[in-house]
Amino acid sequence: MSTIAGQHIASGNVPLEPHQANDFERPPPIDDIRPLMFSFGSFDLRNRALVKVPGSDWSRPLSFDALGSSSEVVIPLSDRMNDAHLGLEIEPGRGRYSHTRVVTFTSRYVVKNTTGMALQYRSLYNATQAYVLSNGERQPLHTLLRSRRRLLTIACALTDAQGRPTPSVRDGRWSAPFSIDDVGRMFVRLPTTDGESLIRIDVVLDGACLFVIMQRESQCWPYAIINHTPVDVTVWQHHEKQTEDGTPVEPDRTYVVRAGESLDYAWDSPIAATKLLVVSAMGATRRVSLQEIGEQRPFVYSRPPRRGAVTDHTMNIEVVASGPRQVLRLTGYTPATSLFTPQPRITRTNTQQSTISSAEERFEVVEADEKTHAIYRLGLEGGIGISLINKHSSEILFATLADVELKYSDSTSNQTFKLSVKWIQIDNQIYGALFPIVLYPTTLGVSVAGVSSPPALVAVAVRAKDRSYGVEYFKYASVLAQELSVELDEDFLYALMDFVKFDVPGWNSSNDDTTGMDMLDSAVPEVKPVEDGMQLYFEFLHIQPFKLHMSFMRTQRLEVGGDPTSTRYPVSNSANVPRSELVGEGVASSSGVVAYAMNILTMAIGNINEAPVSLNALVMQNVRVSMPILMDRMHKHYSAEIFNQVYKLLGSANLLGNPVGLFNNISSGVSDFFYEPYQGFVMSDRPQDFGFGLARGTA
């Protein structure tokens, strides 16, 4: 093959049988960690491979050209009822093996028990078979019943006559089901002989493997309900299902919070699409979102007398953060301190229920006297210029940010930060470059009479001054970038790699004779959940769509040593340059982001011209998350989106398995959709536009 010397297929602890055309090679023994050398008969992006495991049919066709991708492979078993779930990672080799693609099959799901007691677990849809998981043990989960969602349920393991833990589906007291595809933290109630225990479940994505880590929560529950009203309150989780006559389904479990008391709470059904808590007092009910931090509309729980005050029959509802948990505070309604004010009765109603509903609608948000105290604006009409010059005193690129404006506004209740860049451009300064401009806005150069072109980049964040909620509270945050064109050639990427000077693993003299088995290590790593940092809360987080036009051209550059910006022609190794300084033929020899992108572009994609890449907008409401976790989820989300978009254009994407839920456990609502970036907008930075309840629809 012209660009691929070979492909290693490493198969963790799962015996695999690869199949290509009419050729069949027996897999190595399961305890043999030696990789399987595999190659297609010719280089063609339409090449596909089939994979099977013992007792299964052949998988759908897989492409091994999607370098850098991590995906799921679902292989149907011969019984037509179960599927085998594997993780698939395709990485470029390192050092001397950089011509080789390493295709690794791993367990898609690994379940680990650190609760301090023996557990049994099973698929929700499997009523006949369960598996025992001792304390400190972890097991791969390869086989699941064919279903739309991957749900597990757990129970305490029973013991046999010898005192050994044993599974029992019929006799076990099973917990509520939970999803093993939703990355993040969730809690389930585990029935025990002493009542119930709270189990914290962390789903961690590492490469193509999802680790399900179970641990007993001994510190605090995720929610607390504090009742400071004079009446007893009953709460339960809202069910979306209704009976045939349209009435709500009776709750499976209710909890009573006495006046002046509190209750530790966790969702009875953590897989519900919309999680709402129903609060009931004196026959009236109200649905409350525990994920919406802040004061919510007051709850009128009984019909006030004709001349009675509404405050005597109304409770204030407020959700605040207290450490890792969120607290629902139910207090008496006080108009002087509440953000809501009652309005005069407009119409009379005949039934108590409709009267209560009408009373709720009479509350409206108090219009605060919002004043702007200071506005600071830093404008750079000439813009900012950044030049990269390498160690040979040759310029690689020149980046231009034109008409840059930074604006800070301080008002009574909010602080607003806004960044606006009118024009963004990166020029390729290498002599004889195929593409003189690396990055530029695609459509902003076209002017329309009477219409001003929007900025190339706008970022806005509105931060609330109120610190009583226990988090860094952002009412609104948005990023909008206009349509961009990216044009790269091989020389430019080589020059960038030479500039960043990453270490070169596997190419120094001490490791020159390495066998590369460390690169093919099939052991499943130990992972830990990402630690929480300072908690951020976004009422409304809007990452607007990105649209790119990508071009890339190879130059068949074979330069060895010297200034990578000076020539595009081969240079012989007459100076006996040490091997550690060799660049290699058409591949990146250094590690890091630039080298990683270089390997992907040169080995898998080849030449492309104006390939459109469209990334959907990401809209989330009521997001509570730390910055490290948010950045980790964003990185995983957009990396997967870009890989799928690029490889889909080349017909090399493995669109198999269910998408991983990266944001379901940190927000109350997530949606993604696409519209043209020039149709995007960010809200103005006037303080009155960011009043109370911007994302909740109460303002």
Side-chain angles (χ1 to χ4, degrees), residues 111-121 133 135 153-156 173-178 184-192 196-203 212-222 265-267 270:
V111 185
K112 183 176 182 179
N113 176 18
T114 59
T115 60
M117 54 185 172
L119 298 177
Q120 56 176 329
Y121 68 95
L133 193 63
N135 180 45
T153 178
I154 59 176
C156 293
R173 300 171 59 194
W174 296 94
S175 70
F178 56 91
R185 178 168 296 176
M186 65 196 85
F187 296 85
V188 297
R189 301 170 181 266
L190 176 65
T192 63
E196 64 179 13
S197 295
L198 184 66
I199 303 299
R200 185 182 70 206
I201 299 175
D202 290 293
V203 180
V212 183
I213 305 171
M214 295 177 286
Q215 183 175 354
R216 181 182 294 184
E217 180 58 59
S218 57
Q219 296 182 353
C220 64
W221 289 53
Y265 183 75
W267 295 115

Side-chain angles (χ1 to χ4, degrees), residues 476 478-480 542-546 616-618 638 675 680-682:
Y476 176 74
S478 180
V479 177
L480 170 62
H542 187 188
I543 309 299
Q544 309 213 36
F546 293 96
N616 288 351
L618 187 63
Y638 284 109
Y675 51 86
F681 69 96
V682 295

